[in-house]
């Protein structure tokens, strides 16, 4: 089954304790992206990747890191989490053909609480 | 800067009462306009992609249309299971931008 898999689904952590949220896709997509979703603010892009070793900042990159060493994986790293990073996080992947882009496939989400 | 505005914010419908959701956008070089459905606590589920003005796509009770400045999602004879938040997103030259969504509630 074609899918984007995120882990963990739920995570409660303490301020300052480094954490990684994993994301993997099995569709050989070149584009991958991380979003956070907060009430009243909608989906905001954190980082995106156009292909292996190619990443760029989205709208809200502060406090996050990413890497894309393999095409299928795109982990999100919080080096020193703070309470304002409490949110629902989504990983997504997509592809393009020529100048046309295709819809992102989203993971099931990771609900992160930082206390 | 790319912008996506959805209206209304919320829509309450009686079962069978057809209606339309609006997505207006400004983007530098449209490379795709997407509609998603999102249920609470879940990831957005892809519905449609539209690429050029005049294009239409249909799926069950949903129909999406596109003009040069806006897109509409028409819901025909909705059922309670159509209750969800519907998100519009546009892919420009450099990024994908989402609207805030329209939350649709369909009462039996």
């Amino acid at each position: 089954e074609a899918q984007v898999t995120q882990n963990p689904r739920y995570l409660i952590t303490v301020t300052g304790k480094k954490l990684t949220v994993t994301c993997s896709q099995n569709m050989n997509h070149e584009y991958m992206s991380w979003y956070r979703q907060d009430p009243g603010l909608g989906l905001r892009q954190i980082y995106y990747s156009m292909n292996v070793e190619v990443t760029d900042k989205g709208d809200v990159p502060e406090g996050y890191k990413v890497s894309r060493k393999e095409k299928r994986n795109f982990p999100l790293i919080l080096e020193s989490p703070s309470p304002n990073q409490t949110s629902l996080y989504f990983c997504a992947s997509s592809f393009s053909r020529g100048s046309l882009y295709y819809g992102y496939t989203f993971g099931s989400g990771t609900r992160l609480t930082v206390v | 800067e790319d912008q996506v505005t959805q209206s209304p914010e919320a829509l309450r419908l009686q079962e069978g009462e057809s209606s339309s959701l609006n997505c207006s956008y400004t983007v530098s070089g449209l490379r795709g306009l997407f509609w998603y459905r999102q249920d609470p606590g879940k990831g957005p589920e892809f519905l449609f992609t539209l690429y050029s003005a005049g294009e239409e796509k249909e799926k069950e009770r949903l129909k999406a249309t596109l003009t040069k400045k806006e897109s509409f999602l028409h819901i025909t004879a909705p059922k309670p299971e159509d209750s969800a938040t519907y998100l519009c997103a546009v892919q420009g030259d450099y990024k994908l931008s989402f609207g805030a969504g329209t939350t649709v509630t369909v009462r039996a």
Side-chain angles (χ1 to χ4, degrees):
Chain A
E1 180 188 354
Q3 60 186 356
V4 176
T5 303
Q6 292 178 233
N7 281 295
R9 289 293 311 279
Y10 302 92
L11 179 59
I12 301 175
T13 190
V14 296
T15 299
K17 186 177 180 181
K18 181 180 178 180
L19 67 91
T20 299
V21 183
T22 63
C23 174
S24 180
Q25 51 97 1
N26 62 359
M27 296 165 283
N28 201 37
H29 286 171
E30 62 260 43
Y31 302 109
M32 296 188 75
S33 189
W34 276 103
Y35 290 87
R36 61 178 289 175
Q37 188 172 38
D38 303 287
L41 297 176
L43 279 162
R44 294 181 292 168
Q45 191 177 55
I46 303 171
Y47 269 95
Y48 63 97
S49 170
M50 289 74 79
N51 216 320
V52 176
E53 302 291 3
V54 182
T55 63
D56 205 351
K57 296 177 181 179
D59 298 316
V60 288
E62 295 78 20
Y64 304 95
K65 282 177 57 177
V66 293
S67 67
R68 187 101 180 266
K69 293 182 169 52
E70 304 168 281
K71 197 170 185 180
R72 64 184 291 123
N73 295 324
F74 191 45
L76 180 69
I77 303 160
L78 284 73
E79 294 270 4
S80 183
S82 62
N84 64 12
Q85 292 178 299
T86 293
S87 186
L88 180 58
Y89 291 85
F90 291 105
C91 180
S93 72
S94 182
F95 66 102
S96 65
R97 289 293 177 266
S99 64
L100 300 180
Y101 285 69
Y102 288 76
Y104 269 91
T105 299
F106 281 79
S108 299
T110 295
R111 187 167 293 281
L112 172 66
T113 302
V114 184
V115 298
Chain B
E1 183 178 328
D2 300 346
Q3 280 198 318
V4 184
T5 304
Q6 291 188 247
S7 62
E9 289 185 16
L11 190 59
R12 291 176 64 86
L13 300 172
Q14 198 67 35
E15 184 172 4
E17 178 189 1
S18 301
S19 188
S20 296
L21 284 57
N22 177 265
C23 171
S24 63
Y25 63 91
T26 55
V27 63
S28 56
L30 180 68
R31 298 183 182 277
L33 183 141
F34 309 100
W35 283 98
Y36 289 87
R37 170 195 169 118
Q38 186 176 25
D39 294 303
K42 296 190 175 181
E45 175 189 346
F46 172 75
L47 293 173
F48 304 110
T49 305
L50 301 166
Y51 292 110
S52 55
E55 192 173 355
E56 298 182 353
K57 293 274 180 71
E58 275 188 82
K59 179 180 179 180
E60 296 180 355
R61 295 176 292 282
L62 300 177
K63 179 180 178 180
T65 61
L66 181 64
T67 71
K68 286 188 177 180
K69 293 186 178 181
E70 56 191 352
S71 176
F72 293 92
L73 183 66
H74 308 279
I75 309 178
T76 302
K79 298 181 178 181
E81 52 262 44
D82 295 322
S83 297
T85 296
Y86 291 87
L87 300 169
C88 173
V90 294
Q91 176 71 53
D93 287 332
Y94 304 108
K95 63 178 289 189
L96 181 68
S97 301
F98 278 87
T102 295
T103 300
V104 175
T105 304
V106 182
R107 296 164 292 173

